[in-house]
Amino acid sequence: MAELRLKVNGKTETVEADPSTHLLWVLREKLGLTGPKYSCGIARCGACMVHVDGKTVPSCNTPVSEVMDGEITTIEGLSRDGEHPVQKAWIEEQVPQCGYCQSGQIMRAAELLATNPNPSREEIFEHMERVVCRCATYYRVVKAINRAAKEGGS
């Protein structure tokens, strides 16, 4: 165990953890940030996606030691009031069904729009393929990303 300092959602946090602990468990168990979900544990489903320096990373298999110098943002930190254009578009387009993948989907979509403010349908599908939606709401995801893009979604 070591005392680790992380910058999470704009705040510096200090936690006691083994540096090899996966980021997901530090976020959920040490910091109480339950937006990123555990699902596959092998970085294949995307439910655990968070931003590190603006890029999505699967927190389920990323050792916390690899991100200690980065700015970590979870779904809880994307927008304090739920007013991020992607979050608003998600509601307007009624994307969620079970909701399990939603934080990963939204984090991935926010990254896409930050780097490509007007993506094509193909670019959306290609970028979003790293997040599995077991309810298959993919077409609503595309509609929501298009809506967010039109409304200035980054």
Side-chain angles (χ1 to χ4, degrees):
M1 294 291 251
E3 189 172 280
L4 308 174
R5 293 180 95 77
L6 303 168
K7 190 162 186 182
V8 180
N9 297 333
K11 292 176 25 185
T12 300
E13 303 280 1
T14 303
V15 297
E16 286 283 324
D18 185 308
S20 66
T21 303
H22 293 140
L23 176 60
L24 177 65
W25 301 116
V26 171
L27 294 171
R28 290 182 63 84
E29 303 296 324
K30 302 289 184 179
L31 299 177
L33 298 169
T34 58
K37 304 292 187 238
Y38 177 78
S39 186
C40 70
I42 56 172
R44 296 280 190 245
C45 75
C48 66
M49 290 289 188
V50 299
H51 290 174
V52 177
D53 297 328
K55 303 282 186 225
T56 52
V57 298
S59 62
C60 73
N61 75 344
T62 301
V64 71
S65 61
E66 288 183 14
V67 297
M68 288 177 46
D69 295 329
E71 171 67 38
I72 301 162
T73 305
T74 67
I75 189 75
E76 292 92 344
L78 189 61
S79 169
R80 300 278 181 220
D81 56 6
E83 290 294 313
H84 188 282
V86 173
Q87 291 171 308
K88 289 168 52 176
W90 237 248
I91 293 166
E92 291 297 319
E93 295 299 336
Q94 300 177 358
V95 176
Q97 281 190 20
C98 82
Y100 203 78
C101 70
Q102 295 312 297
S103 64
Q105 294 275 6
I106 290 169
M107 297 305 283
R108 192 85 175 135
E111 175 196 39
L112 171 63
L113 293 177
T115 59
N116 182 353
N118 191 25
S120 68
R121 183 177 176 82
E122 293 77 26
E123 289 169 325
I124 293 170
F125 272 109
E126 182 179 322
H127 190 81
M128 298 303 292
E129 73 183 0
R130 288 191 58 199
V131 185
V132 176
C133 176
R134 287 164 180 81
C135 300
T137 64
Y138 298 112
Y139 291 101
R140 285 190 240 166
V141 166
V142 171
K143 284 177 68 177
I145 292 171
N146 283 327
R147 178 186 283 254
K150 287 178 187 152
E151 296 174 9
S154 60

